[in-house]
Amino acid sequence: MSTWDWDVFWGSIPDLLAGLVVALQATVLGYLIALVLGLVFALLRRSKSLWISVPAAVVIEFIRSTPLLVQLFFLFYVLPTVGISFSTLFTAAIGLGVHYATYVSEVYRSGIDGVPAGQWEAARALNLPARRTWTSVILPQALPRAMPALANYVIAMFKDTPVLVAITVVEMLTVALSIGSETFLYAEPITMAGILYLVTALVMSWFARIFERRFGQVRAA
């Protein structure tokens, strides 16, 4: 039975911090994709045309019902066989972003549905064009309602980054396993990686609460 090696435990920090930076990069890029694509999905689902809303609903349900790991494998291993390839980090960001966009879209839909009917009627009474209605009336009231859930999803996305080890992204778990294979001691680097994941997630939660208090108040149109 091996003993705990504190030198490996503390010595793994620099390499793990480099992996943490990669995990945060994948999270930020993926979250930006999820925010934009999620809004697109939400608007498509609200389309009055069944030719648009139904296919959008099918795509969303398909992505949501398949594992993130399978989607990452498809992006990383299958698409290059037909000539479509991206960098490892960008592939990870696309996988995370597209997967979480399906959940973010429901958050947007909930926020939009929460806008009082009177606001829609007022916009129509003022004969506002559709673009102005969305940008000046609906979204400024819908987005604050969605802030708490949107903040939670960025934390959830970060906690899913260890899955990226499957497509060779050099994030913290990948680094921890690499250190383990070199030292034949896995408990120490994996424990330190877990601590760094926990601390980072707690810090992100703290910032999310501040962001929610600052920007999560619904403004009247």
Side-chain angles (χ1 to χ4, degrees):
M1 179 177 172
S2 62
T3 59
W4 185 268
D5 192 321
W6 288 103
D7 289 336
V8 173
F9 179 74
W10 295 112
S12 65
I13 292 178
D15 290 336
L16 289 174
L17 288 178
L20 174 60
V21 171
V22 175
L24 290 173
Q25 289 174 336
T27 301
V28 171
L29 290 174
Y31 190 60
L32 293 176
I33 293 172
L35 289 178
V36 175
L37 187 58
L39 182 58
V40 172
F41 281 157
L43 296 179
L44 292 177
R45 284 290 304 274
R46 290 185 59 86
S47 174
K48 296 179 180 179
S49 171
L50 294 179
W51 293 101
I52 297 176
S53 61
V54 172
V58 171
V59 170
I60 291 171
E61 194 60 34
F62 175 79
I63 295 174
R64 190 186 305 162
S65 300
T66 53
L68 173 60
L69 183 59
V70 173
Q71 295 167 14
L72 289 171
F73 276 157
F74 179 83
L75 292 171
F76 191 72
Y77 294 108
V78 178
L79 287 187
T81 64
V82 294
I84 302 174
S85 61
F86 308 98
S87 69
T88 303
L89 180 60
F90 194 57
T91 300
I94 293 174
L96 290 170
V98 172
H99 185 80
Y100 274 89
T102 60
Y103 296 96
V104 169
S105 68
E106 294 304 310
V107 175
Y108 282 133
R109 286 185 65 204
S110 177
I112 293 169
D113 291 342
V115 176
Q119 298 296 318
W120 295 91
E121 295 169 359
R124 284 193 292 268
L126 293 172
N127 200 28
L128 294 179
R131 181 176 178 180
R132 180 76 183 280
T133 298
W134 280 103
T135 58
S136 299
V137 180
I138 305 305
L139 290 181
Q141 297 180 71
L143 292 181
R145 291 180 168 87
M147 287 297 179
L150 291 177
N152 288 334
Y153 276 126
V154 70
I155 300 170
M157 184 182 292
F158 170 73
K159 291 191 291 185
D160 267 346
T161 55
V163 178
L164 303 180
V165 67
I167 59 171
T168 71
V169 175
V170 189
E171 47 72 58
M172 280 199 291
L173 181 58
T174 308
V175 173
L177 294 175
S178 176
I179 295 173
S181 66
E182 294 173 1
T183 62
F184 300 102
L185 297 170
Y186 287 90
E188 291 85 345
I190 290 177
T191 300
M192 177 55 75
I195 293 172
L196 291 175
Y197 277 119
L198 175 62
V199 171
T200 306
L202 290 174
V203 172
M204 293 172 71
S205 297
W206 181 68
F207 276 110
R209 287 194 294 270
I210 293 176
F211 185 82
E212 179 185 342
R213 287 196 296 268
R214 176 64 179 84
F215 299 103
Q217 300 299 318
V218 179
R219 297 185 293 108

